[in-house]
Amino acid sequence: MNTAGELALQVLHERAGAIGTPLERHSERVYELAVLLAPTADRELLRVAALMHDIGVLEPLGRTAYVTVGAERARGLLESCGWQAERIRSCADAVARHHELRRQIGRGVEVEAIRRADLIDLSSGLIRFGVLRADVQAVSARHPRRGFTVALARIVGRLVLHAPRSLPVVFRPPT
């Protein structure tokens, strides 16, 4: 029987159409950084949230923000795994709120850890929230950033061209 983390990785591979993509390596970096930020957090929840946090960018574009689409995909996956409602909500919140500008610790340590880990990785470690530079570099060595900037530019360009109304919603709290 596959764990939720294994199933999330399988979904990422299926949506990306490949294994080892820049987005997958980004997700792995986010997971490892989240563990460094919150070592006592629910690791399985962090793993699924990290793997699913950007899955919405691989879905067909629509009016719904990709973070909302990703949260719904995570919810569906975790319901099929039999997770309890509170864990599902926490994981979906981590996916939906990973671009929040304000702290999300009130929603759970995992939600805040994913938010911070994503920002650490997007900033290439310029923002670290107390994580040592050497630790950020070690994570990047295990999961190289190769191709990530180009992939990110393509994703943002696609959103700007084909779903510009969804962009502001990425930074607006879900209702």
Side-chain angles (χ1 to χ4, degrees), residues 1-158:
M1 184 173 184
N2 290 336
T3 66
E6 291 167 338
L7 290 172
L9 184 59
Q10 184 179 352
V11 169
L12 181 58
H13 290 160
E14 288 169 1
R15 294 307 307 148
I19 294 173
T21 63
L23 187 60
E24 180 182 342
R25 291 192 307 273
H26 164 65
S27 297
E28 295 290 0
R29 289 190 302 273
V30 167
Y31 169 69
E32 289 193 23
L33 291 166
V35 169
L36 289 172
L37 289 162
T40 62
D42 180 335
R43 296 247 177 134
E44 186 179 28
L45 194 155
L46 288 176
R47 177 94 173 123
V48 173
L51 290 168
M52 300 293 286
H53 82 281
D54 282 337
I55 197 85
V57 301
L58 301 174
E59 299 289 338
L61 294 175
R63 291 187 180 270
T64 306
Y66 84 87
V67 293
T68 305
V69 172
E72 288 305 314
R73 292 276 289 176
R75 228 179 244 109
L77 175 89
L78 298 175
E79 286 170 357
S80 74
C81 290
W83 276 29
Q84 293 181 345
E86 184 59 26
R87 281 181 88 204
I88 293 171
R89 185 203 54 77
S90 291
C91 189
D93 277 355
V95 172
R97 296 179 176 275
H98 75 272
H99 282 299
E100 288 287 330
L101 300 177
R102 293 195 174 127
R103 293 174 43 132
Q104 298 296 303
I105 194 70
R107 295 185 179 281
V109 66
E110 293 87 1
V111 178
E112 181 64 5
I114 292 294
R115 185 187 77 83
R116 287 182 177 200
D118 188 57
L119 189 52
I120 292 169
D121 193 55
L122 286 175
S123 73
S124 299
L126 292 174
I127 299 169
R128 293 194 311 276
F129 297 105
V131 175
L132 298 175
R133 177 175 278 118
D135 289 336
V136 174
Q137 291 170 341
V139 168
S140 290
R142 284 190 294 279
H143 309 286
R145 299 184 61 79
R146 181 184 67 255
F148 180 63
T149 305
V150 171
L152 185 61
R154 284 186 182 133
I155 288 165
V156 171
R158 183 173 156 243

